[in-house]
Structures are given as structure tokens and as C-alpha cells.
Amino acid sequence: MNKVNVIEKFAQIDGYWNPAVVGALNGQEVKIVKFKGPFTWHHHDHEDELFYVVKGSFIMELRDKNIELNTGDFLIVPKGVEHRPNAAEEVWVMLFEPASMLNTGNVVNEFTKKTLKHL
Amino acid sequence: MNKVNVIEKFAQIDGYWNPAVVGALNGQEVKIVKFKGPFTWHHHDHEDELFYVVKGSFIMELRDKNIELNTGDFLIVPKGVEHRPNAAEEVWVMLFEPASMLNTGNVVNEFTKKTLKHL
């Protein structure tokens, strides 16, 4: 059992849209990821997803509205809801979600990461 | 679906050792709590628990060692492991754990909160 410093872990992240696992509990995982630019529209059939902004800001685009998230904000996107994160500048985000959830949900494309690094 | 600003939610917290629920997903809950002083020794039979320090620092006392947690650190205490948070000064902590987990685990005493506020 060791503590994890989230800021230090971000220094080990490679590129954008490339989440790494930093913790696991109760069948869930804590992941960290850097966003920049627009992601891909997708949804998760069976999993809710929490986005917590550690540093920076981004827009969560939904089909009916956009939500701006800044440092210290979190948003829970319920299962089934289409979404697309879009970051004008680099932003550091922590995710809480079920273990082994695919980052692009129902879509498989150039953003899909089937294997994640554990930091 | 609305974003949650964690810092703003802390302003609505009453007292110490009194967690409030600020989000729910996948059978888990996000809670925020202010610690000050020593809590009670306890464990959770069936649930792992994540402690993320939003502001301040505290010591997680375990039976075999102490772990100092500062802003930006998190610690996952696995189920079954006895622990006691102890904060020399007020500290703001975010928890991620299964819904309806009792704050004092296997112990019921003056620290026990059977009903939590939802903010």
C-alpha cells in the first residue's frame, strides 16, 4: 500500500488521449490522461464515467449542450450518453470508471487504446 | 447532468468527520469530508476506500506504519486493513468508495454517520 502523487504521475504520461492506470479498487480504476484537441464522439453502453480536472480546462460536448470544466470540477457522464471531450489547450484529467472500460466506448478508431500503461 | 466544483462543495460541509455525497456512478459514490484530529480505528470488511487530498495534509495511521498524505496525493486502503486518519490541522479529502459504505466500518461509535447529506 503506497500513496500516489497524481501530479508526479502526469509527468510519466505519453502524449494525448492515452490514459494510464494509477489505482484500482472495488472493480473500478483510477486513470489519468492528458487531453488536447477534439476526441471522438462515443458512448459507453454499461459504464458511467467520471472526469475530474486536475489542471486546465476543457469542453465536454454532448449532443444537446456543452459543459465547460475547469480545475477542480468533475462531471459524471452516465452510461449511454454520447460525449466528446474537446480541449483547446492541454488539460490534465483524472478518471474514475470500471476496470478495463474501453476509452472509445462503442467506437473503435485511431483513438482506441486497448492496452493501458500502469503507472 | 451538471458539473460539480469540489471546492465550492467543501464550503457546504458541516463540521469534521461528516462526509457528504457529491456524486454517484457504477454503484460507487464520491464523497467529500473535512478531517481534523484523530478518527477512530476501523476497517471495512468488503470495501476498498480511496482517499484523495484536495487541500492540506494528514497521516493515515496503519497498524504497521504511518503514511503522510499531502495535497494531490491519494491512497487506496484495501478492505480488511485497519486504519485511522489523523489530521493535525483541517484537511479536505475526497473519497471514492462503494455507495452506502459506513464511515466507521466495523465500528459503531460517536463518529458513525448512518445518514449522509447529499450536496
Side-chain angles (χ1 to χ4, degrees), chain A residues 1 3-6 22 25-26 30 48 50 65 68-69 72-74 76 96 98, chain B residues 1 3-6 22 25-26 30 48 50 65 68-69 72-74 76 96 98:
Chain A
M1 191 188 335
K3 69 175 177 179
V4 172
N5 183 275
V6 171
V22 293
L25 71 164
N26 305 304
V30 184
D48 310 320
L50 184 149
K65 63 178 174 179
E68 181 181 334
L69 295 165
D73 288 336
F74 74 75
I76 295 172
F96 291 110
Chain B
M1 190 188 334
K3 70 177 178 180
V4 172
N5 184 273
V6 171
V22 292
L25 71 165
N26 306 304
V30 183
D48 311 321
L50 184 148
K65 63 177 173 177
E68 182 182 333
L69 295 165
D73 288 337
F74 75 76
I76 294 171
F96 186 60

PDB file of all heavy atoms in Angstrom, chain A residues 1 3-6 22 25-26 30 48 50 65 68-69 72-74 76 96 98, chain B residues 1 3-6 22 25-26 30 48 50 65 68-69 72-74 76 96 98:
ATOM      1  N   MET A   1       0.846  -1.194   0.000  1.00  0.00           N
ATOM      2  CA  MET A   1       0.000   0.000   0.000  1.00  0.00           C
ATOM      3  C   MET A   1       0.881   1.243   0.000  1.00  0.00           C
ATOM      4  O   MET A   1       1.595   1.493   0.964  1.00  0.00           O
ATOM      5  CB  MET A   1      -0.887  -0.009   1.244  1.00  0.00           C
ATOM      6  CG  MET A   1      -1.970   1.046   1.188  1.00  0.00           C
ATOM      7  SD  MET A   1      -2.902   1.209   2.739  1.00  0.00           S
ATOM      8  CE  MET A   1      -2.694  -0.388   3.493  1.00  0.00           C
ATOM      9  N   LYS A   3       1.143   5.542  -1.245  1.00  0.00           N
ATOM     10  CA  LYS A   3       0.407   6.704  -1.743  1.00  0.00           C
ATOM     11  C   LYS A   3       0.825   6.996  -3.179  1.00  0.00           C
ATOM     12  O   LYS A   3       1.906   6.600  -3.631  1.00  0.00           O
ATOM     13  CB  LYS A   3       0.662   7.907  -0.845  1.00  0.00           C
ATOM     14  CG  LYS A   3       2.055   8.473  -0.910  1.00  0.00           C
ATOM     15  CD  LYS A   3       2.138   9.732  -0.055  1.00  0.00           C
ATOM     16  CE  LYS A   3       3.555  10.287  -0.032  1.00  0.00           C
ATOM     17  NZ  LYS A   3       3.642  11.517   0.778  1.00  0.00           N
ATOM     18  N   VAL A   4      -0.033   7.703  -3.877  1.00  0.00           N
ATOM     19  CA  VAL A   4       0.211   8.089  -5.266  1.00  0.00           C
ATOM     20  C   VAL A   4       0.100   9.600  -5.347  1.00  0.00           C
ATOM     21  O   VAL A   4      -0.908  10.167  -4.903  1.00  0.00           O
ATOM     22  CB  VAL A   4      -0.843   7.448  -6.194  1.00  0.00           C
ATOM     23  CG1 VAL A   4      -0.728   8.000  -7.612  1.00  0.00           C
ATOM     24  CG2 VAL A   4      -0.705   5.928  -6.182  1.00  0.00           C
ATOM     25  N   ASN A   5       1.121  10.251  -5.883  1.00  0.00           N
ATOM     26  CA  ASN A   5       1.001  11.679  -6.141  1.00  0.00           C
ATOM     27  C   ASN A   5       0.592  11.874  -7.597  1.00  0.00           C
ATOM     28  O   ASN A   5       1.330  11.522  -8.523  1.00  0.00           O
ATOM     29  CB  ASN A   5       2.298  12.426  -5.845  1.00  0.00           C
ATOM     30  CG  ASN A   5       2.088  13.919  -6.049  1.00  0.00           C
ATOM     31  OD1 ASN A   5       2.203  14.427  -7.164  1.00  0.00           O
ATOM     32  ND2 ASN A   5       1.710  14.613  -4.997  1.00  0.00           N
ATOM     33  N   VAL A   6      -0.590  12.412  -7.771  1.00  0.00           N
ATOM     34  CA  VAL A   6      -1.186  12.489  -9.101  1.00  0.00           C
ATOM     35  C   VAL A   6      -0.344  13.370 -10.024  1.00  0.00           C
ATOM     36  O   VAL A   6      -0.118  13.032 -11.193  1.00  0.00           O
ATOM     37  CB  VAL A   6      -2.636  12.998  -8.979  1.00  0.00           C
ATOM     38  CG1 VAL A   6      -3.218  13.297 -10.342  1.00  0.00           C
ATOM     39  CG2 VAL A   6      -3.485  11.964  -8.239  1.00  0.00           C
ATOM     40  N   VAL A  22      -3.600   4.378 -12.552  1.00  0.00           N
ATOM     41  CA  VAL A  22      -2.791   4.713 -11.373  1.00  0.00           C
ATOM     42  C   VAL A  22      -3.363   4.121 -10.083  1.00  0.00           C
ATOM     43  O   VAL A  22      -2.752   4.261  -9.022  1.00  0.00           O
ATOM     44  CB  VAL A  22      -2.598   6.241 -11.227  1.00  0.00           C
ATOM     45  CG1 VAL A  22      -1.740   6.786 -12.366  1.00  0.00           C
ATOM     46  CG2 VAL A  22      -3.943   6.968 -11.153  1.00  0.00           C
ATOM     47  N   LEU A  25      -9.669  -0.259  -7.362  1.00  0.00           N
ATOM     48  CA  LEU A  25     -10.407  -0.587  -6.139  1.00  0.00           C
ATOM     49  C   LEU A  25     -11.838  -0.960  -6.484  1.00  0.00           C
ATOM     50  O   LEU A  25     -12.452  -0.332  -7.340  1.00  0.00           O
ATOM     51  CB  LEU A  25     -10.398   0.585  -5.151  1.00  0.00           C
ATOM     52  CG  LEU A  25     -11.203   1.842  -5.447  1.00  0.00           C
ATOM     53  CD1 LEU A  25     -11.354   2.681  -4.179  1.00  0.00           C
ATOM     54  CD2 LEU A  25     -10.568   2.662  -6.553  1.00  0.00           C
ATOM     55  N   ASN A  26     -12.321  -1.997  -5.834  1.00  0.00           N
ATOM     56  CA  ASN A  26     -13.730  -2.392  -5.972  1.00  0.00           C
ATOM     57  C   ASN A  26     -14.160  -2.572  -7.427  1.00  0.00           C
ATOM     58  O   ASN A  26     -15.274  -2.215  -7.806  1.00  0.00           O
ATOM     59  CB  ASN A  26     -14.634  -1.335  -5.311  1.00  0.00           C
ATOM     60  CG  ASN A  26     -14.278  -1.069  -3.859  1.00  0.00           C
ATOM     61  OD1 ASN A  26     -14.243  -1.986  -3.054  1.00  0.00           O
ATOM     62  ND2 ASN A  26     -13.971   0.178  -3.530  1.00  0.00           N
ATOM     63  N   VAL A  30      -8.722   4.059 -11.293  1.00  0.00           N
ATOM     64  CA  VAL A  30      -8.382   5.477 -11.369  1.00  0.00           C
ATOM     65  C   VAL A  30      -7.384   5.603 -12.514  1.00  0.00           C
ATOM     66  O   VAL A  30      -6.375   4.900 -12.528  1.00  0.00           O
ATOM     67  CB  VAL A  30      -7.729   5.975 -10.067  1.00  0.00           C
ATOM     68  CG1 VAL A  30      -7.463   7.470 -10.137  1.00  0.00           C
ATOM     69  CG2 VAL A  30      -8.579   5.616  -8.868  1.00  0.00           C
ATOM     70  N   ASP A  48     -20.870   4.268 -16.354  1.00  0.00           N
ATOM     71  CA  ASP A  48     -20.787   5.701 -16.099  1.00  0.00           C
ATOM     72  C   ASP A  48     -19.301   6.076 -15.995  1.00  0.00           C
ATOM     73  O   ASP A  48     -18.470   5.243 -15.628  1.00  0.00           O
ATOM     74  CB  ASP A  48     -21.468   6.061 -14.775  1.00  0.00           C
ATOM     75  CG  ASP A  48     -22.857   5.477 -14.641  1.00  0.00           C
ATOM     76  OD1 ASP A  48     -23.603   5.461 -15.637  1.00  0.00           O
ATOM     77  OD2 ASP A  48     -23.205   5.036 -13.521  1.00  0.00           O
ATOM     78  N   LEU A  50     -16.477   9.206 -14.709  1.00  0.00           N
ATOM     79  CA  LEU A  50     -16.230  10.474 -14.009  1.00  0.00           C
ATOM     80  C   LEU A  50     -14.964  11.127 -14.544  1.00  0.00           C
ATOM     81  O   LEU A  50     -13.913  10.481 -14.639  1.00  0.00           O
ATOM     82  CB  LEU A  50     -16.100  10.233 -12.507  1.00  0.00           C
ATOM     83  CG  LEU A  50     -15.943  11.493 -11.641  1.00  0.00           C
ATOM     84  CD1 LEU A  50     -16.568  11.270 -10.259  1.00  0.00           C
ATOM     85  CD2 LEU A  50     -14.475  11.889 -11.476  1.00  0.00           C
ATOM     86  N   LYS A  65     -25.875  19.918 -25.419  1.00  0.00           N
ATOM     87  CA  LYS A  65     -25.247  21.092 -24.799  1.00  0.00           C
ATOM     88  C   LYS A  65     -23.757  20.849 -24.633  1.00  0.00           C
ATOM     89  O   LYS A  65     -23.288  19.716 -24.775  1.00  0.00           O
ATOM     90  CB  LYS A  65     -25.879  21.403 -23.439  1.00  0.00           C
ATOM     91  CG  LYS A  65     -25.713  20.316 -22.381  1.00  0.00           C
ATOM     92  CD  LYS A  65     -26.324  20.743 -21.047  1.00  0.00           C
ATOM     93  CE  LYS A  65     -26.285  19.610 -20.029  1.00  0.00           C
ATOM     94  NZ  LYS A  65     -26.848  19.995 -18.724  1.00  0.00           N
ATOM     95  N   GLU A  68     -18.455  23.382 -19.805  1.00  0.00           N
ATOM     96  CA  GLU A  68     -17.048  23.757 -19.625  1.00  0.00           C
ATOM     97  C   GLU A  68     -16.576  23.311 -18.260  1.00  0.00           C
ATOM     98  O   GLU A  68     -17.187  23.629 -17.235  1.00  0.00           O
ATOM     99  CB  GLU A  68     -16.890  25.274 -19.753  1.00  0.00           C
ATOM    100  CG  GLU A  68     -15.433  25.699 -19.603  1.00  0.00           C
ATOM    101  CD  GLU A  68     -15.228  27.196 -19.698  1.00  0.00           C
ATOM    102  OE1 GLU A  68     -16.037  27.886 -20.343  1.00  0.00           O
ATOM    103  OE2 GLU A  68     -14.244  27.668 -19.095  1.00  0.00           O
ATOM    104  N   LEU A  69     -15.497  22.590 -18.228  1.00  0.00           N
ATOM    105  CA  LEU A  69     -14.938  22.081 -16.967  1.00  0.00           C
ATOM    106  C   LEU A  69     -13.588  22.712 -16.726  1.00  0.00           C
ATOM    107  O   LEU A  69     -12.723  22.709 -17.614  1.00  0.00           O
ATOM    108  CB  LEU A  69     -14.801  20.556 -17.034  1.00  0.00           C
ATOM    109  CG  LEU A  69     -16.123  19.796 -17.151  1.00  0.00           C
ATOM    110  CD1 LEU A  69     -15.878  18.356 -17.586  1.00  0.00           C
ATOM    111  CD2 LEU A  69     -16.839  19.801 -15.801  1.00  0.00           C
ATOM    112  N   GLY A  72     -10.607  21.550 -10.707  1.00  0.00           N
ATOM    113  CA  GLY A  72     -11.408  21.319  -9.506  1.00  0.00           C
ATOM    114  C   GLY A  72     -12.846  20.908  -9.795  1.00  0.00           C
ATOM    115  O   GLY A  72     -13.579  20.573  -8.870  1.00  0.00           O
ATOM    116  N   ASP A  73     -13.237  20.935 -11.069  1.00  0.00           N
ATOM    117  CA  ASP A  73     -14.580  20.474 -11.443  1.00  0.00           C
ATOM    118  C   ASP A  73     -14.548  18.979 -11.778  1.00  0.00           C
ATOM    119  O   ASP A  73     -13.553  18.479 -12.322  1.00  0.00           O
ATOM    120  CB  ASP A  73     -15.081  21.178 -12.714  1.00  0.00           C
ATOM    121  CG  ASP A  73     -15.438  22.636 -12.507  1.00  0.00           C
ATOM    122  OD1 ASP A  73     -15.747  23.023 -11.371  1.00  0.00           O
ATOM    123  OD2 ASP A  73     -15.411  23.384 -13.508  1.00  0.00           O
ATOM    124  N   PHE A  74     -15.667  18.299 -11.497  1.00  0.00           N
ATOM    125  CA  PHE A  74     -15.839  16.977 -12.102  1.00  0.00           C
ATOM    126  C   PHE A  74     -17.207  16.863 -12.728  1.00  0.00           C
ATOM    127  O   PHE A  74     -18.141  17.602 -12.399  1.00  0.00           O
ATOM    128  CB  PHE A  74     -15.549  15.838 -11.124  1.00  0.00           C
ATOM    129  CG  PHE A  74     -16.579  15.556 -10.058  1.00  0.00           C
ATOM    130  CD1 PHE A  74     -17.780  14.899 -10.351  1.00  0.00           C
ATOM    131  CD2 PHE A  74     -16.335  15.902  -8.737  1.00  0.00           C
ATOM    132  CE1 PHE A  74     -18.710  14.619  -9.355  1.00  0.00           C
ATOM    133  CE2 PHE A  74     -17.265  15.633  -7.730  1.00  0.00           C
ATOM    134  CZ  PHE A  74     -18.453  14.989  -8.050  1.00  0.00           C
ATOM    135  N   ILE A  76     -19.902  13.638 -14.168  1.00  0.00           N
ATOM    136  CA  ILE A  76     -20.197  12.216 -14.362  1.00  0.00           C
ATOM    137  C   ILE A  76     -21.063  12.094 -15.612  1.00  0.00           C
ATOM    138  O   ILE A  76     -22.155  12.663 -15.675  1.00  0.00           O
ATOM    139  CB  ILE A  76     -20.921  11.633 -13.140  1.00  0.00           C
ATOM    140  CG1 ILE A  76     -19.982  11.670 -11.921  1.00  0.00           C
ATOM    141  CG2 ILE A  76     -21.384  10.200 -13.433  1.00  0.00           C
ATOM    142  CD1 ILE A  76     -20.655  11.294 -10.608  1.00  0.00           C
ATOM    143  N   PHE A  96     -12.454   8.167 -13.045  1.00  0.00           N
ATOM    144  CA  PHE A  96     -12.885   7.029 -12.215  1.00  0.00           C
ATOM    145  C   PHE A  96     -13.900   6.257 -13.028  1.00  0.00           C
ATOM    146  O   PHE A  96     -14.931   6.823 -13.419  1.00  0.00           O
ATOM    147  CB  PHE A  96     -13.594   7.484 -10.936  1.00  0.00           C
ATOM    148  CG  PHE A  96     -12.738   8.153  -9.918  1.00  0.00           C
ATOM    149  CD1 PHE A  96     -12.876   9.501  -9.672  1.00  0.00           C
ATOM    150  CD2 PHE A  96     -11.811   7.438  -9.178  1.00  0.00           C
ATOM    151  CE1 PHE A  96     -12.111  10.138  -8.718  1.00  0.00           C
ATOM    152  CE2 PHE A  96     -11.040   8.069  -8.221  1.00  0.00           C
ATOM    153  CZ  PHE A  96     -11.180   9.418  -7.995  1.00  0.00           C
ATOM    154  N   PRO A  98     -15.200   1.881 -14.349  1.00  0.00           N
ATOM    155  CA  PRO A  98     -14.988   0.450 -14.164  1.00  0.00           C
ATOM    156  C   PRO A  98     -13.694  -0.021 -14.850  1.00  0.00           C
ATOM    157  O   PRO A  98     -13.307   0.498 -15.901  1.00  0.00           O
ATOM    158  CB  PRO A  98     -16.224  -0.168 -14.824  1.00  0.00           C
ATOM    159  CG  PRO A  98     -17.291   0.879 -14.656  1.00  0.00           C
ATOM    160  CD  PRO A  98     -16.553   2.168 -14.867  1.00  0.00           C
TER     161      PRO A  98
ATOM    162  N   MET B   1     -27.516  16.260 -15.919  1.00  0.00           N
ATOM    163  CA  MET B   1     -26.063  16.126 -15.807  1.00  0.00           C
ATOM    164  C   MET B   1     -25.443  17.499 -15.587  1.00  0.00           C
ATOM    165  O   MET B   1     -25.510  18.346 -16.467  1.00  0.00           O
ATOM    166  CB  MET B   1     -25.525  15.514 -17.106  1.00  0.00           C
ATOM    167  CG  MET B   1     -24.081  15.103 -17.003  1.00  0.00           C
ATOM    168  SD  MET B   1     -23.381  14.580 -18.608  1.00  0.00           S
ATOM    169  CE  MET B   1     -24.836  14.031 -19.493  1.00  0.00           C
ATOM    170  N   LYS B   3     -21.981  19.744 -13.855  1.00  0.00           N
ATOM    171  CA  LYS B   3     -20.648  19.637 -13.278  1.00  0.00           C
ATOM    172  C   LYS B   3     -20.696  19.980 -11.795  1.00  0.00           C
ATOM    173  O   LYS B   3     -21.621  20.658 -11.320  1.00  0.00           O
ATOM    174  CB  LYS B   3     -19.670  20.544 -14.011  1.00  0.00           C
ATOM    175  CG  LYS B   3     -19.889  22.020 -13.789  1.00  0.00           C
ATOM    176  CD  LYS B   3     -18.803  22.820 -14.502  1.00  0.00           C
ATOM    177  CE  LYS B   3     -19.020  24.312 -14.333  1.00  0.00           C
ATOM    178  NZ  LYS B   3     -17.978  25.111 -15.020  1.00  0.00           N
ATOM    179  N   VAL B   4     -19.701  19.501 -11.092  1.00  0.00           N
ATOM    180  CA  VAL B   4     -19.583  19.741  -9.655  1.00  0.00           C
ATOM    181  C   VAL B   4     -18.229  20.390  -9.397  1.00  0.00           C
ATOM    182  O   VAL B   4     -17.194  19.865  -9.838  1.00  0.00           O
ATOM    183  CB  VAL B   4     -19.665  18.410  -8.877  1.00  0.00           C
ATOM    184  CG1 VAL B   4     -19.341  18.622  -7.403  1.00  0.00           C
ATOM    185  CG2 VAL B   4     -21.030  17.776  -9.052  1.00  0.00           C
ATOM    186  N   ASN B   5     -18.245  21.533  -8.708  1.00  0.00           N
ATOM    187  CA  ASN B   5     -16.975  22.123  -8.297  1.00  0.00           C
ATOM    188  C   ASN B   5     -16.686  21.691  -6.865  1.00  0.00           C
ATOM    189  O   ASN B   5     -17.421  22.038  -5.929  1.00  0.00           O
ATOM    190  CB  ASN B   5     -16.974  23.641  -8.409  1.00  0.00           C
ATOM    191  CG  ASN B   5     -15.604  24.196  -8.060  1.00  0.00           C
ATOM    192  OD1 ASN B   5     -15.305  24.441  -6.904  1.00  0.00           O
ATOM    193  ND2 ASN B   5     -14.737  24.324  -9.053  1.00  0.00           N
ATOM    194  N   VAL B   6     -15.644  20.935  -6.713  1.00  0.00           N
ATOM    195  CA  VAL B   6     -15.349  20.309  -5.421  1.00  0.00           C
ATOM    196  C   VAL B   6     -15.081  21.355  -4.348  1.00  0.00           C
ATOM    197  O   VAL B   6     -15.549  21.240  -3.212  1.00  0.00           O
ATOM    198  CB  VAL B   6     -14.165  19.326  -5.584  1.00  0.00           C
ATOM    199  CG1 VAL B   6     -13.690  18.822  -4.242  1.00  0.00           C
ATOM    200  CG2 VAL B   6     -14.576  18.169  -6.487  1.00  0.00           C
ATOM    201  N   VAL B  22     -21.289  13.753  -3.109  1.00  0.00           N
ATOM    202  CA  VAL B  22     -21.345  14.750  -4.179  1.00  0.00           C
ATOM    203  C   VAL B  22     -21.476  14.120  -5.564  1.00  0.00           C
ATOM    204  O   VAL B  22     -21.618  14.846  -6.556  1.00  0.00           O
ATOM    205  CB  VAL B  22     -20.113  15.694  -4.141  1.00  0.00           C
ATOM    206  CG1 VAL B  22     -20.166  16.567  -2.890  1.00  0.00           C
ATOM    207  CG2 VAL B  22     -18.805  14.922  -4.208  1.00  0.00           C
ATOM    208  N   LEU B  25     -21.824   6.860  -9.205  1.00  0.00           N
ATOM    209  CA  LEU B  25     -21.653   6.201 -10.513  1.00  0.00           C
ATOM    210  C   LEU B  25     -21.273   4.746 -10.301  1.00  0.00           C
ATOM    211  O   LEU B  25     -20.490   4.434  -9.405  1.00  0.00           O
ATOM    212  CB  LEU B  25     -20.597   6.912 -11.359  1.00  0.00           C
ATOM    213  CG  LEU B  25     -19.121   6.824 -10.977  1.00  0.00           C
ATOM    214  CD1 LEU B  25     -18.242   7.272 -12.129  1.00  0.00           C
ATOM    215  CD2 LEU B  25     -18.819   7.631  -9.731  1.00  0.00           C
ATOM    216  N   ASN B  26     -21.849   3.868 -11.107  1.00  0.00           N
ATOM    217  CA  ASN B  26     -21.471   2.454 -11.104  1.00  0.00           C
ATOM    218  C   ASN B  26     -21.511   1.824  -9.707  1.00  0.00           C
ATOM    219  O   ASN B  26     -20.669   1.001  -9.364  1.00  0.00           O
ATOM    220  CB  ASN B  26     -20.059   2.284 -11.692  1.00  0.00           C
ATOM    221  CG  ASN B  26     -19.922   2.903 -13.076  1.00  0.00           C
ATOM    222  OD1 ASN B  26     -20.676   2.568 -13.983  1.00  0.00           O
ATOM    223  ND2 ASN B  26     -18.980   3.819 -13.235  1.00  0.00           N
ATOM    224  N   VAL B  30     -18.866   9.343  -4.744  1.00  0.00           N
ATOM    225  CA  VAL B  30     -17.829  10.337  -4.475  1.00  0.00           C
ATOM    226  C   VAL B  30     -18.310  11.121  -3.270  1.00  0.00           C
ATOM    227  O   VAL B  30     -19.437  11.629  -3.264  1.00  0.00           O
ATOM    228  CB  VAL B  30     -17.634  11.287  -5.670  1.00  0.00           C
ATOM    229  CG1 VAL B  30     -16.496  12.258  -5.399  1.00  0.00           C
ATOM    230  CG2 VAL B  30     -17.420  10.505  -6.953  1.00  0.00           C
ATOM    231  N   ASP B  48     -12.847  -1.556  -0.517  1.00  0.00           N
ATOM    232  CA  ASP B  48     -11.639  -0.737  -0.586  1.00  0.00           C
ATOM    233  C   ASP B  48     -12.074   0.732  -0.555  1.00  0.00           C
ATOM    234  O   ASP B  48     -13.180   1.072  -0.967  1.00  0.00           O
ATOM    235  CB  ASP B  48     -10.888  -0.983  -1.900  1.00  0.00           C
ATOM    236  CG  ASP B  48     -10.679  -2.462  -2.203  1.00  0.00           C
ATOM    237  OD1 ASP B  48     -10.398  -3.209  -1.251  1.00  0.00           O
ATOM    238  OD2 ASP B  48     -10.797  -2.854  -3.383  1.00  0.00           O
ATOM    239  N   LEU B  50     -10.743   4.877  -1.269  1.00  0.00           N
ATOM    240  CA  LEU B  50      -9.751   5.804  -1.797  1.00  0.00           C
ATOM    241  C   LEU B  50      -9.869   7.155  -1.104  1.00  0.00           C
ATOM    242  O   LEU B  50     -10.965   7.718  -1.015  1.00  0.00           O
ATOM    243  CB  LEU B  50      -9.937   5.978  -3.315  1.00  0.00           C
ATOM    244  CG  LEU B  50      -8.900   6.861  -4.016  1.00  0.00           C
ATOM    245  CD1 LEU B  50      -8.658   6.362  -5.447  1.00  0.00           C
ATOM    246  CD2 LEU B  50      -9.288   8.330  -4.037  1.00  0.00           C
ATOM    247  N   LYS B  65       2.539   0.941   9.986  1.00  0.00           N
ATOM    248  CA  LYS B  65       3.269   2.139   9.540  1.00  0.00           C
ATOM    249  C   LYS B  65       2.304   3.312   9.435  1.00  0.00           C
ATOM    250  O   LYS B  65       1.087   3.141   9.477  1.00  0.00           O
ATOM    251  CB  LYS B  65       3.957   1.907   8.188  1.00  0.00           C
ATOM    252  CG  LYS B  65       2.997   1.620   7.038  1.00  0.00           C
ATOM    253  CD  LYS B  65       3.762   1.478   5.711  1.00  0.00           C
ATOM    254  CE  LYS B  65       2.846   1.014   4.577  1.00  0.00           C
ATOM    255  NZ  LYS B  65       3.523   0.930   3.283  1.00  0.00           N
ATOM    256  N   GLU B  68       2.090   9.685   5.312  1.00  0.00           N
ATOM    257  CA  GLU B  68       1.709  11.097   5.263  1.00  0.00           C
ATOM    258  C   GLU B  68       1.176  11.438   3.887  1.00  0.00           C
ATOM    259  O   GLU B  68       1.837  11.186   2.873  1.00  0.00           O
ATOM    260  CB  GLU B  68       2.913  11.991   5.577  1.00  0.00           C
ATOM    261  CG  GLU B  68       2.534  13.460   5.588  1.00  0.00           C
ATOM    262  CD  GLU B  68       3.713  14.377   5.858  1.00  0.00           C
ATOM    263  OE1 GLU B  68       4.674  13.931   6.516  1.00  0.00           O
ATOM    264  OE2 GLU B  68       3.670  15.534   5.401  1.00  0.00           O
ATOM    265  N   LEU B  69       0.003  11.997   3.844  1.00  0.00           N
ATOM    266  CA  LEU B  69      -0.633  12.369   2.581  1.00  0.00           C
ATOM    267  C   LEU B  69      -0.767  13.880   2.506  1.00  0.00           C
ATOM    268  O   LEU B  69      -1.273  14.513   3.441  1.00  0.00           O
ATOM    269  CB  LEU B  69      -2.018  11.726   2.489  1.00  0.00           C
ATOM    270  CG  LEU B  69      -2.011  10.200   2.416  1.00  0.00           C
ATOM    271  CD1 LEU B  69      -3.392   9.640   2.707  1.00  0.00           C
ATOM    272  CD2 LEU B  69      -1.552   9.748   1.038  1.00  0.00           C
ATOM    273  N   GLY B  72      -2.908  16.571  -3.397  1.00  0.00           N
ATOM    274  CA  GLY B  72      -2.611  15.901  -4.670  1.00  0.00           C
ATOM    275  C   GLY B  72      -2.254  14.433  -4.526  1.00  0.00           C
ATOM    276  O   GLY B  72      -2.092  13.740  -5.530  1.00  0.00           O
ATOM    277  N   ASP B  73      -2.118  13.958  -3.303  1.00  0.00           N
ATOM    278  CA  ASP B  73      -1.840  12.531  -3.067  1.00  0.00           C
ATOM    279  C   ASP B  73      -3.148  11.766  -2.902  1.00  0.00           C
ATOM    280  O   ASP B  73      -4.118  12.289  -2.350  1.00  0.00           O
ATOM    281  CB  ASP B  73      -1.065  12.322  -1.753  1.00  0.00           C
ATOM    282  CG  ASP B  73       0.377  12.767  -1.822  1.00  0.00           C
ATOM    283  OD1 ASP B  73       0.953  12.840  -2.919  1.00  0.00           O
ATOM    284  OD2 ASP B  73       0.939  13.025  -0.732  1.00  0.00           O
ATOM    285  N   PHE B  74      -3.148  10.507  -3.331  1.00  0.00           N
ATOM    286  CA  PHE B  74      -4.229   9.630  -2.910  1.00  0.00           C
ATOM    287  C   PHE B  74      -3.676   8.322  -2.390  1.00  0.00           C
ATOM    288  O   PHE B  74      -2.539   7.940  -2.683  1.00  0.00           O
ATOM    289  CB  PHE B  74      -5.295   9.422  -3.998  1.00  0.00           C
ATOM    290  CG  PHE B  74      -4.937   8.511  -5.149  1.00  0.00           C
ATOM    291  CD1 PHE B  74      -4.921   7.133  -5.020  1.00  0.00           C
ATOM    292  CD2 PHE B  74      -4.667   9.052  -6.399  1.00  0.00           C
ATOM    293  CE1 PHE B  74      -4.632   6.303  -6.088  1.00  0.00           C
ATOM    294  CE2 PHE B  74      -4.366   8.228  -7.489  1.00  0.00           C
ATOM    295  CZ  PHE B  74      -4.349   6.853  -7.324  1.00  0.00           C
ATOM    296  N   ILE B  76      -5.157   4.223  -1.520  1.00  0.00           N
ATOM    297  CA  ILE B  76      -6.235   3.233  -1.518  1.00  0.00           C
ATOM    298  C   ILE B  76      -5.980   2.282  -0.356  1.00  0.00           C
ATOM    299  O   ILE B  76      -4.940   1.622  -0.302  1.00  0.00           O
ATOM    300  CB  ILE B  76      -6.282   2.465  -2.854  1.00  0.00           C
ATOM    301  CG1 ILE B  76      -6.665   3.430  -3.987  1.00  0.00           C
ATOM    302  CG2 ILE B  76      -7.285   1.308  -2.768  1.00  0.00           C
ATOM    303  CD1 ILE B  76      -6.530   2.848  -5.382  1.00  0.00           C
ATOM    304  N   PHE B  96     -13.627   7.990  -2.642  1.00  0.00           N
ATOM    305  CA  PHE B  96     -14.280   7.237  -3.715  1.00  0.00           C
ATOM    306  C   PHE B  96     -14.436   5.827  -3.182  1.00  0.00           C
ATOM    307  O   PHE B  96     -13.452   5.163  -2.860  1.00  0.00           O
ATOM    308  CB  PHE B  96     -13.388   7.274  -4.952  1.00  0.00           C
ATOM    309  CG  PHE B  96     -14.002   6.649  -6.173  1.00  0.00           C
ATOM    310  CD1 PHE B  96     -15.183   7.139  -6.710  1.00  0.00           C
ATOM    311  CD2 PHE B  96     -13.381   5.587  -6.798  1.00  0.00           C
ATOM    312  CE1 PHE B  96     -15.733   6.561  -7.853  1.00  0.00           C
ATOM    313  CE2 PHE B  96     -13.922   5.010  -7.930  1.00  0.00           C
ATOM    314  CZ  PHE B  96     -15.104   5.502  -8.465  1.00  0.00           C
ATOM    315  N   PRO B  98     -17.634   2.349  -2.430  1.00  0.00           N
ATOM    316  CA  PRO B  98     -18.966   1.835  -2.740  1.00  0.00           C
ATOM    317  C   PRO B  98     -20.063   2.633  -2.028  1.00  0.00           C
ATOM    318  O   PRO B  98     -19.877   3.104  -0.895  1.00  0.00           O
ATOM    319  CB  PRO B  98     -18.908   0.387  -2.235  1.00  0.00           C
ATOM    320  CG  PRO B  98     -17.467   0.019  -2.359  1.00  0.00           C
ATOM    321  CD  PRO B  98     -16.734   1.282  -1.970  1.00  0.00           C
TER     322      PRO B  98
END
